[in-house]
Amino acid sequence: MKVGRILGFTVVLLAGFTCDVSAQAPPTPPLTGTQNPMPGMSMPASGADTSSMQMEGMNSAGMYLMGRTSGTGANPESSAMKMFSWHVGEWNLMFHGEGFISDVQQTGPRSGDKFLSTNWFMGMAEHDLGNGAFTIRAMMSAEPATVTNRFYPELFQTGETAFGKALVDGQHPHDLFMELSVAYARTIGEKTNVEIYFAPVGDPALGPVAFPHRVSAAELPQAPLGHHLQDSTHIANEVLSAALRSPHWSAQVSAGRLHKPEALEAGDQLRSTASVTYNRPFTRGNWATSVIWGRDHETDTKRNINSYLLESVVRFREKNYVTGRAELVDRDELFADQPAIEQHLAATVGTVFRIGAFTAGYTRDVHIVPHVITGIGGNFTLYRVPSAIQPFYGDHPAGFYMFLRFRLEGKDSHQ
């Protein structure tokens, strides 16, 4: 949720409430055809050319708010967002979303497989108000129904609970309501916006843009292993964030205290993150890359748990995507459901293990449904496992994804 065109400082006063002062960059040139190779609206992020949208009555503060991905976060300005749009009276309405239908297969003694769907849908309404504007936004997911038993297999993933037990080697689905928020921004002078964001269900300004909305992770349906150290927030207070955005770059640093983020958590977590995302459009494609670091300091155990991520997607010839992700992540909960093994490891080699995960994949867009960008793709992940836990995971565990991806394209708002 790194707000601001140039530099923004965000203090979270209450969970889900932020007050922002951010400097705006001058408008960038119009997005090239590479951002919208197929019919449909390609919504520029705040700071991009806004003349066509202003024809519908939206002022600069409205464009600033509509460039958000979730919460107060935003990808680089050159990253286009596909969406449906309508102009109804004094309101600008927008809707976008995507879903993956995936089959997951894994190898090794603690492997699993599952057929599931991960997905999200967002609706926004914007209305100008004097020199400012406000937006109402709702983001929802059908994953409580499409990811059964509150779990899908992902080796070495930890950090959540389901049915009162800690999840190990699995990722939880998103909630039905991911965001319900109201934001108001007002233009102060030529290059400054003041923003207030309130959300009963929201996204505190802690960490990079979450992976479902991050431009560099657009073709990777599974959560990063470092998700719960980087871009996942629960009940947060005492949060400080700073951010930098330009046409092709966004960067942030943030720190915050998470109060008992899980029911089974004995203490609080002090989270620190830093990230840089780069997006470069080129003829009939683009290249997006993120570098992310996240650390949790556990107040109960006094441990520092670190994670490092590098991920990238290259889109070429309009319809082809090559993806990659490399992670190094510390894990300290792999045997939380097996106390005898955990105690034995604690007495011999410790309970914190650094896992390496290396993912590569490919997606191809095909024409199946009108106004929907459909992709057929897959990826595989190879893991590097410390020798001490190889008896439990195998020497070379791996994971495989095959998926159909559906992304709303929308109608061209200029036609």
Side-chain angles (χ1 to χ4, degrees):
M1 295 181 209
K2 292 60 55 193
V3 191
R5 304 272 183 92
I6 293 298
L7 181 63
F9 293 93
T10 304
V11 178
V12 175
L13 306 177
L14 298 172
F17 178 83
T18 65
C19 183
D20 245 340
V21 178
S22 49
Q24 293 182 313
T28 60
L31 296 177
T32 66
T34 62
Q35 298 304 302
N36 190 21
M38 310 168 97
M41 177 187 173
S42 188
M43 171 69 184
S46 51
D49 178 65
T50 62
S51 57
S52 59
M53 291 303 299
Q54 287 174 338
M55 290 175 61
E56 300 293 337
M58 189 183 300
N59 62 24
S60 60
M63 289 299 302
Y64 173 81
L65 291 173
M66 293 303 259
R68 303 291 189 226
T69 53
S70 66
T72 53
N75 286 307
E77 293 172 0
S78 60
S79 308
M81 293 187 293
K82 300 286 188 179
M83 59 181 65
F84 288 97
S85 67
W86 299 268
H87 186 71
V88 180
E90 300 295 324
W91 291 87
N92 288 291
L93 309 179
M94 298 187 182
F95 180 80
H96 64 138
E98 67 179 35
F100 291 84
I101 299 175
S102 305
D103 181 62
V104 184
Q105 301 288 330
Q106 297 178 323
T107 67
R110 299 183 69 164
S111 63
D113 59 79
K114 196 162 195 174
F115 185 74
L116 69 140
S117 172
T118 52
N119 48 77
W120 60 269
F121 311 91
M122 180 191 291
M124 296 180 284
E126 182 273 345
H127 194 288
D128 290 351
L129 188 62
N131 289 332
F134 67 92
T135 58
I136 302 170
R137 181 166 56 202
M139 189 188 307
M140 303 177 66
S141 174
E143 290 179 18
T146 61
V147 178
T148 58
N149 296 321
R150 304 182 192 175
F151 172 94
Y152 67 83
E154 185 172 9
L155 287 171
F156 303 104
Q157 183 67 280
T158 64
E160 278 283 355
T161 60
F163 304 106
K165 295 182 179 181
L167 285 180
V168 179
D169 298 320
Q171 171 66 24
H172 63 91
H174 289 100
D175 293 339
L176 174 63
F177 293 101
M178 300 171 65
E179 182 179 6
L180 296 172
S181 68
V182 177
Y184 173 78
R186 183 178 177 85
T187 301
I188 306 295
E190 184 179 354
K191 297 182 178 180
T192 304
N193 276 337
V194 175
E195 177 186 354
I196 296 176
Y197 170 84
F198 174 76
V201 180
D203 196 353
L206 181 57
V209 173
F211 76 92
H213 315 289
R214 195 162 58 233
V215 61
S216 58
E219 299 300 321
L220 292 168
Q222 66 267 46
L225 291 185
H227 172 51
H228 296 105
L229 290 85
Q230 298 167 354
D231 56 19
S232 168
T233 52
H234 301 268
I235 302 171
N237 53 35
E238 301 173 9
V239 175
L240 177 65
S241 178
L244 170 69
R245 290 186 62 218
S246 69
H248 302 307
W249 295 87
S250 65
Q252 66 86 33
V253 292
S254 57
R257 187 183 187 100
L258 280 66
H259 175 64
K260 289 185 66 66
E262 290 301 325
L264 302 180
E265 193 84 23
D268 295 350
Q269 291 180 355
L270 304 180
R271 179 166 298 170
S272 304
T273 76
S275 65
V276 176
T277 297
Y278 171 83
N279 181 72
R280 185 68 181 183
F282 53 81
T283 303
R284 303 176 67 192
N286 70 294
W287 171 36
T289 298
S290 293
V291 180
I292 303 172
W293 165 77
R295 169 185 287 178
D296 280 353
H297 174 75
E298 301 172 350
T299 61
D300 180 48
T301 64
K302 309 301 182 184
R303 284 196 295 249
N304 290 323
I305 306 299
N306 288 278
S307 66
Y308 308 88
L309 176 146
L310 170 66
E311 70 184 10
S312 193
V313 57
V314 178
R315 179 187 184 191
F316 60 97
R317 294 187 177 179
E318 295 184 3
K319 300 180 180 180
N320 302 276
Y321 306 80
V322 174
T323 58
R325 175 186 283 163
E327 294 189 83
L328 292 176
V329 181
D330 295 337
R331 300 275 75 141
D332 65 342
E333 300 175 327
L334 294 177
F335 302 95
D337 57 345
Q338 298 174 288
I341 295 176
E342 188 173 53
Q343 292 173 9
H344 171 73
L345 292 171
T348 54
V349 296
T351 57
V352 179
F353 305 98
R354 177 153 293 183
I355 307 299
F358 309 94
T359 302
Y362 172 78
T363 309
R364 168 78 177 184
D365 282 344
V366 295
H367 295 286
I368 297 178
V369 181
H371 307 308
V372 174
I373 306 172
T374 305
I376 300 174
N379 63 62
F380 66 91
T381 302
L382 302 178
Y383 297 94
R384 191 183 70 184
V385 185
S387 59
I389 60 174
Q390 287 181 2
F392 307 100
Y393 282 94
D395 295 347
H396 304 288
F400 302 88
Y401 259 78
M402 296 296 295
F403 58 80
L404 279 175
R405 183 260 292 136
F406 301 96
R407 180 174 296 135
L408 294 181
E409 183 181 23
K411 294 175 65 177
D412 190 341
S413 63
H414 307 308
Q415 292 180 352

